[in-house]
Amino acid sequence: MTDGSAVDINIDLDHPPEDRPAPSSGAKPWLVATGVTILAATLGLTLTLRSGSTPACAAGRTLAAAPPTGTATKTGKATFYDSKGAGGNCSNPAAPANRLYVALGPTEYSAGAACGGFLDVVGPKGTVRVLIMDQCPECEPGHLDLSREAFARIADPVQGLVPVTYRAVVNPPLPGPLTFRIKEGASQWWFAVRVGNHGNPLRSVEVRQRDSDPWQSAARQDYNYWLIASGAGPGPFNLRVTDVYGNRVTAGGIRMAPGQVQNSTVRMYAPGGGAAPRRPSASTRPPSNRPSVTPTPTRRPVEVARTSAPATDAPTTSSARANARWCEG
């Protein structure tokens, strides 16, 4: 049964069966017993499928979506692609100037929760630190799709696919204070903001206009904007930002200026990795003119140099591939 469809057996448990002729006296007991056994087995399978039970192969492949955090080292593999200067699914204005970035599969990208974090990746030739900037829809957990430049730091690009280890960077050096970009189309009735320069993955973004107002929690979108569908007012706003390690700061004076990047004076944490002291607010400097960004719903197909390396470079076993094919059939 490769299409996953249930087998319909029309048994009405609420009404007695219709009167039917009795079986002939010539019926063989073993044949009747065999028929009952097959019917019971089929019914059991049908009820299992309809009750929502997960097939064993699907259960084995189900992983909770979460961004890479902490200091644990993971094992995986790396390929490479080129974003052509675009900022990826995380809605960055552009690729970082050093062009060292990575796209993660859906599980580790975690609907945008990984955006803005960093990974240290170790390959056959060396180590590279990369910004999490994009999503690789076809990548399984542990598959890092690096920029071409980042891949060249850890391996010969001719290899195309190499085994790697990697781990999240906790409290990496920050390029500057937090930045805020109100999305095009925002108004007092619909609010969306992108936060930049936070270093670690973010846990929450909260918004209010006045100190006496309650904080409103914004909902993260998979393209890395934080949304309040009913709006947050005309502004200016205070924004309280918290990362996954508990660093929390508040920036004030963020204006309703869609499409403009506003540079605050607040850093997510102090240099050297310590948590920054909490401040009630901070004024913003005049916005810089940067190109607007349109969220990318899905990445273009990965431009991967096909490898001629032995299959042992990839951690997936042949039995796992066979099982996946069976499940997908």
Side-chain angles (χ1 to χ4, degrees):
M1 188 186 303
T2 59
D3 60 357
S5 61
V7 177
D8 285 325
I9 300 178
N10 295 320
I11 298 180
D12 190 346
L13 301 180
D14 296 325
H15 300 87
E18 300 176 357
D19 293 335
R20 297 185 182 182
S24 64
S25 59
K28 300 294 189 294
W30 65 267
L31 183 59
V32 173
T34 302
V36 171
T37 301
I38 293 174
L39 178 60
T42 308
L43 177 59
L45 177 58
T46 301
L47 294 177
T48 298
L49 292 174
R50 291 188 172 180
S51 67
S53 300
T54 303
C57 62
R61 291 188 295 159
T62 300
L63 296 172
T69 57
T71 58
T73 297
K74 300 183 178 181
T75 300
K77 61 185 178 182
T79 51
F80 65 86
Y81 81 110
D82 189 349
S83 78
K84 308 295 185 183
N89 248 87
C90 291
S91 297
N92 291 17
N98 63 11
R99 296 190 60 81
L100 301 178
Y101 53 85
V102 63
L104 301 181
T107 299
E108 291 180 297
Y109 182 77
S110 188
C115 287
F118 289 83
L119 299 180
D120 279 341
V121 184
V122 181
K125 198 172 80 172
T127 303
V128 65
R129 178 166 293 181
V130 289
L131 170 70
I132 300 172
M133 184 190 83
D134 211 349
Q135 179 175 201
C136 173
E138 65 272 31
C139 292
E140 70 273 16
H143 182 169
L144 309 181
D145 206 17
L146 299 168
S147 66
R148 189 181 301 269
E149 292 81 359
F151 189 93
R153 297 278 188 95
I154 65 164
D156 186 341
V158 173
Q159 291 181 270
L161 174 71
V162 295
V164 296
T165 59
Y166 63 100
R167 65 178 180 178
V169 183
V170 180
N171 290 351
L174 297 171
L178 291 175
T179 65
F180 300 91
R181 185 181 189 277
I182 305 296
K183 197 177 186 315
E184 296 87 348
S187 69
Q188 62 177 317
W189 313 112
W190 187 84
F191 180 89
V193 65
R194 179 188 176 278
V195 184
N197 291 349
H198 45 82
N200 300 313
L202 294 183
R203 175 181 297 162
S204 66
V205 172
E206 300 164 286
V207 184
R208 69 182 182 187
Q209 287 198 107
R210 294 173 292 272
D211 291 345
S212 58
D213 292 340
W215 289 104
Q216 296 187 66
S217 296
R220 188 195 341 255
Q221 307 301 297
D222 63 2
Y223 52 90
N224 197 31
Y225 271 80
W226 295 81
L227 174 67
I228 299 178
S230 59
F237 308 102
N238 295 322
L239 275 81
R240 186 165 69 180
V241 182
T242 307
D243 70 20
V244 295
Y245 302 115
N247 298 306
R248 172 180 287 179
V249 294
T250 302
I254 307 304
R255 297 171 293 110
M256 177 58 74
Q260 297 182 7
V261 176
Q262 301 181 52
N263 302 299
S264 77
T265 59
V266 179
R267 290 178 178 264
M268 194 69 219
Y269 42 82
R278 298 184 183 182
R279 306 179 188 182
S281 65
S283 61
T284 58
R285 295 195 295 268
S288 58
N289 293 324
R290 301 190 185 182
S292 61
V293 61
T294 300
T296 305
T298 55
R299 289 174 65 247
R300 293 187 296 274
V302 178
E303 298 172 14
V304 178
R306 298 300 177 189
T307 179
S308 59
T312 53
D313 285 346
T316 305
T317 63
S318 58
S319 61
R321 293 194 191 97
N323 192 39
R325 284 197 297 273
W326 186 89
C327 293
E328 292 168 359

